[in-house]
Amino acid sequence: MRGKRFKTRSEWHNVKLWSLASGFIVIVMGILALQERSALLWTVAIVGPLAGFAIAWYRDRGHSALYSFDGEHVMLRGDRGERQIPMGQVADVSLLDRTAAREYLKQMINSGQQGTVSASERQSIQREFMRFCTVDIGMTSYSLGVGRRMIDELPDAKRDLVLLRLRNGEALLLSPLYNHDLVESLGRVLQERVSA
């Protein structure tokens, strides 16, 4: 079988959302600054949106990755390392949206744990789950959840992620540009291996 390669998606939802919010903040603060004749309000009107824009850009810039597979291995490469997974270890592959991805991650963190999970263990589980994902699924929020809910409702945020589950219970979240193609292609290879 000829190998297939899939590029990852890169989205700028937080930057777009903050750009809209910044315009509103600048207008309101500018009006207040003119009425009060305050240099401090002008500073807030300019520095606040710029700082927010920088944070949004940092969150959205993501990481780069590339997914490929042939009949024998799935290769995941990114700026956080690379991993080669034999097809025999792949249990299944499915489409997932961001809300479901967050819930799945929370279940992974809480499953089988007696007592509480330390912050470092939680970060380790999240980092491994998200290692090859290049989009923000909204695990941390600077907008008290408002921005996350708006992003979750966007048409291109529906079922745009891929969950790759392994037979050892491990799961990896992927963010291919053509998610349906990756799921169909990998699913076909898995089906061929089962029927062979």
Side-chain angles (χ1 to χ4, degrees), residues 3-188:
K4 289 199 168 199
R5 298 165 63 102
F6 294 88
K7 294 180 180 178
T8 53
R9 71 176 56 234
S10 179
E11 296 176 344
W12 298 92
H13 292 310
N14 290 317
V15 168
K16 291 174 188 174
L17 183 63
W18 188 255
S19 296
L20 293 173
S22 294
F24 179 74
I25 291 169
V26 167
I27 290 170
V28 169
M29 293 301 289
I31 291 170
L32 289 174
L34 286 173
Q35 288 178 344
E36 299 294 324
R37 292 190 175 93
S38 170
L40 177 62
L41 288 177
W42 275 114
T43 304
V44 171
I46 294 168
V47 173
L50 286 177
F53 187 82
I55 292 169
W57 178 84
Y58 177 78
R59 296 270 318 265
D60 277 348
R61 71 182 170 85
H63 301 277
S64 62
L66 179 68
Y67 316 129
S68 61
F69 67 91
D70 54 21
E72 300 299 319
H73 297 92
V74 175
M75 178 62 83
L76 307 172
R77 290 187 186 100
D79 52 5
R80 299 178 189 175
E82 74 177 46
R83 183 161 178 195
Q84 185 172 338
I85 303 167
M87 284 300 294
Q89 290 183 9
V90 177
D92 67 7
V93 60
S94 58
L95 293 172
L96 206 62
D97 64 16
R98 292 163 202 241
T99 304
R102 285 193 300 271
E103 288 305 314
Y104 192 91
L105 178 56
K106 288 176 188 173
Q107 287 177 5
M108 285 176 52
I109 290 171
N110 296 328
S111 68
Q113 300 293 332
Q114 301 297 327
T116 60
V117 179
S118 71
S120 63
E121 290 172 326
R122 183 178 297 116
Q123 286 178 344
S124 175
I125 292 168
Q126 180 175 335
R127 188 172 31 252
E128 194 56 35
F129 180 67
M130 300 284 301
R131 184 174 171 194
F132 299 103
C133 182
T134 59
V135 298
D136 178 20
I137 65 168
M139 287 304 292
T140 57
S141 176
Y142 300 120
S143 61
L144 304 175
V146 174
R148 175 176 39 207
R149 280 192 293 277
M150 288 178 70
I151 291 169
D152 286 348
E153 295 302 318
L154 292 173
D156 60 346
K158 300 286 186 186
R159 302 176 70 82
D160 64 340
L161 302 172
V162 173
L163 179 66
L164 180 68
R165 293 192 310 164
L166 307 182
R167 295 193 187 282
N168 65 4
E170 189 178 357
L172 298 167
L173 190 64
L174 309 178
S175 53
L177 186 58
Y178 301 109
N179 50 351
H180 291 280
D181 290 347
L182 176 63
V183 169
E184 288 174 11
S185 299
L186 262 177
R188 199 173 312 121

